Every structure is written in C-alpha cells, then in structure tokens.
Amino acid sequence: MPTITTTNLNETKALAAEIVGLLKPAERATVLALYGDLGAGKTSFTQGLAASLGVVENISSPTFVIEKIYDLPVGQSFKKLIHIDAYRLSEGGDLAKLGFETIESESENLIVIEWPEQVADIIPVGAKKISFKFIDDNMREITYEI
Ligand code: ADP
Ligand code: MG
C-alpha cells in the first residue's frame, strides 16, 4: 500500500486528484473510507477530490448534516459525489436510515465517508481505505490501497 507524506494542504489535495483519476465505476458505487483523527486532512482531501471532478461549490465538513450530494459535470465517469461525515453516527443503521443501501447500489456514485469506523458494519467489503496521520502542523502521512 502506498504511503505518501504531504507537506502542505495543497499536496493533500493534489494527491486526492491523482487518486480519483485511478477510479473507475464498477458494478456498485465506489466507496472511499477516509480514516484518521480530527484535523488529519479527510475533508481537505475530499475538497481536492471534488475540485478535480469539477465541483465548484464549496465543500465543507458535513458533520452537522451528515451527508451532502453533488451532481458532477457531464463527461465525468461518475455522476454524483456523495460526501458523508459519520462522526455523529453510532452504527450502520444510522446511515441505512439515510438511504445508504440505495446510493451504494448505483454504479455511478462516488461515496466518500469520513469517520467510517462509526458505521463499520455498513461499510461495503469493497470499500477503498485511505488513512490519514497527523505528523506535524503541515505534514500528514496518507496511506491508501488504490
Ligand atoms: P479532518 O476532516 O480530517 O478533520 P480537515 O481537512 O478538516 O481534517 O483539516 C485539516 C487541517 O489541517 C486544515 O486546517 C488544513 O489546512 C491543515 N493542514 C495542514 N497541513 C496539511 C496537509 N499536509 N494536508 C491536509 N491538511 C493540512
Ligand atoms: Mg472532516
């Protein structure tokens, strides 16, 4: 599994853009599970990913709304980006109530989940794991299995 050390926010965003370029829709939705402590860079990574997919809206942490859905521009291989922050959830059933099974069954959905450990029982086996580790103020270690 590659581990990359980024030395600033923009490098984390650039890595996200690189990783998203490697993803192709499969039979079901593509799920990225972003692990790591508060401030480790999960939302920043999602911002880089969204920007590279042509999302112009500001991506903020959806902690208080749990889930945000962005339509992707025509021409992208994915049609929707779904950004989930499971920080306030305590089991997969909480996500199921938000219709997770349906969004996860759609091939052209790209689902990014922060705090996947909170809803571990609903994370699909095929989810791609990306782990963020705080090294110092500007440095993060990012390990991914894509
Ligand atoms: P999380 O979603 O994991 O809680 P955020 O992405 O919201 O983390 O916050 C990361 C914070 O760390 C931001 O304020 C960002 O500017 C800062 N930061 C500093 N260096 C980096 C880096 N190399 N990668 C990502 N974020 C960084
Ligand atoms: Mg976050």
Side-chain angles (χ1 to χ4, degrees):
M1 280 200 288
T3 297
I4 298 281
T5 302
T6 63
T7 58
N8 61 59
L9 173 65
N10 288 331
E11 281 182 20
T12 292
K13 291 184 176 180
L15 177 66
E18 216 174 287
I19 287 176
V20 84
L22 302 174
L23 301 174
K24 287 189 183 65
E27 205 175 308
R28 300 178 71 84
T30 297
V31 179
L32 303 185
L34 310 188
Y35 295 86
D37 292 336
L38 197 68
K42 304 178 296 297
T43 299
S44 302
F45 180 93
T46 308
Q47 288 167 344
L49 177 151
S52 78
L53 291 172
V55 174
V56 292
E57 288 148 274
N58 190 39
I59 304 275
S60 55
S61 186
T63 304
F64 297 100
V65 295
I66 313 297
E67 176 182 286
K68 283 190 181 169
I69 301 178
Y70 304 89
D71 287 317
L72 300 178
V74 176
Q76 292 290 343
S77 50
F78 293 100
K79 292 216 166 95
K80 285 188 165 93
L81 169 66
I82 294 110
H83 184 197
I84 295 171
D85 189 327
Y87 186 69
R88 286 168 188 281
L89 304 183
S90 47
E91 55 176 29
D94 297 337
L95 258 195
K97 283 180 209 140
L98 297 176
F100 185 77
E101 319 279 358
T102 306
I103 61 166
E104 196 274 319
S105 69
E106 291 279 340
S107 161
E108 286 161 326
N109 285 343
L110 174 58
I111 305 174
V112 177
I113 308 183
E114 298 189 40
W115 300 101
E117 48 276 80
Q118 295 297 108
V119 291
D121 54 319
I122 207 174
I123 301 295
V125 283
K128 297 170 192 305
K129 296 181 178 165
I130 307 179
S131 301
F132 297 78
K133 196 171 159 210
F134 182 97
I135 305 296
D136 66 25
D137 275 359
N138 295 309
M139 210 177 270
R140 303 290 186 274
E141 207 171 80
I142 302 170
T143 303
Y144 57 100
E145 57 176 23
I146 293 153

